[in-house]
């Protein structure tokens, strides 16, 4: 199943669409890294880092990248993004 809604994933246990409605684990979440939001991480269902990237070209609006991070802030999905972002700051 494919679901892009991550609202509620910052709770423990996660209560986003994938976990509640579909009763499934996620393959990955893409999380933009604070404080600059110019790079991202991919994390698995346990929050472990799968990969990271720094895109080139036109990025999504800054506000959208910030909202993406804010939806996971305080959760296991934010840990790798925060670590990666602090290395780049």
């Amino acid at each position: 199943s494919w679901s892009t809604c991550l609202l509620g994933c910052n709770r423990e246990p996660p209560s986003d669409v994938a976990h509640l409605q579909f009763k499934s684990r996620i393959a990955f979440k893409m999380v933009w890294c604070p404080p600059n939001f110019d790079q991202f991480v991919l994390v698995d269902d346990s929050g472990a880092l799968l990969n990271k990237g720094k895109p080139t070209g036109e990025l999504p609006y800054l506000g959208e990248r910030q909202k993406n991070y804010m939806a996971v802030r305080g959760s296991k999905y934010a840990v790798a993004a925060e670590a990666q972002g602090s290395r780049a700051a």
Side-chain angles (χ1 to χ4, degrees):
S1 225
W2 176 257
S3 173
T4 58
C5 182
L6 50 94
L7 299 177
C9 73
N10 61 333
R11 299 186 184 115
E12 192 56 47
S15 58
D16 55 355
V17 170
H19 290 92
L20 286 182
Q21 185 175 350
F22 299 115
K23 300 194 183 338
S24 64
R25 295 177 48 191
I26 59 156
F28 67 88
K29 283 197 186 300
M30 178 182 165
V31 181
W32 288 96
C33 304
N36 298 330
F37 303 100
D38 61 351
Q39 58 185 321
F40 63 87
V41 295
L42 299 178
V43 296
D44 68 11
D45 198 57
S46 66
L49 179 66
L50 297 172
N51 211 337
K52 59 190 175 199
K54 185 167 183 168
T56 59
E58 190 173 337
L59 299 177
Y61 291 117
L62 176 60
E64 294 302 317
R65 291 178 274 148
Q66 291 169 327
K67 286 179 191 175
N68 164 269
Y69 167 73
M70 293 304 290
V72 301
R73 187 174 76 170
S75 76
K76 60 188 174 184
Y77 303 120
V79 174
E82 291 163 353
Q84 182 65 28
S86 69
R87 282 194 273 284

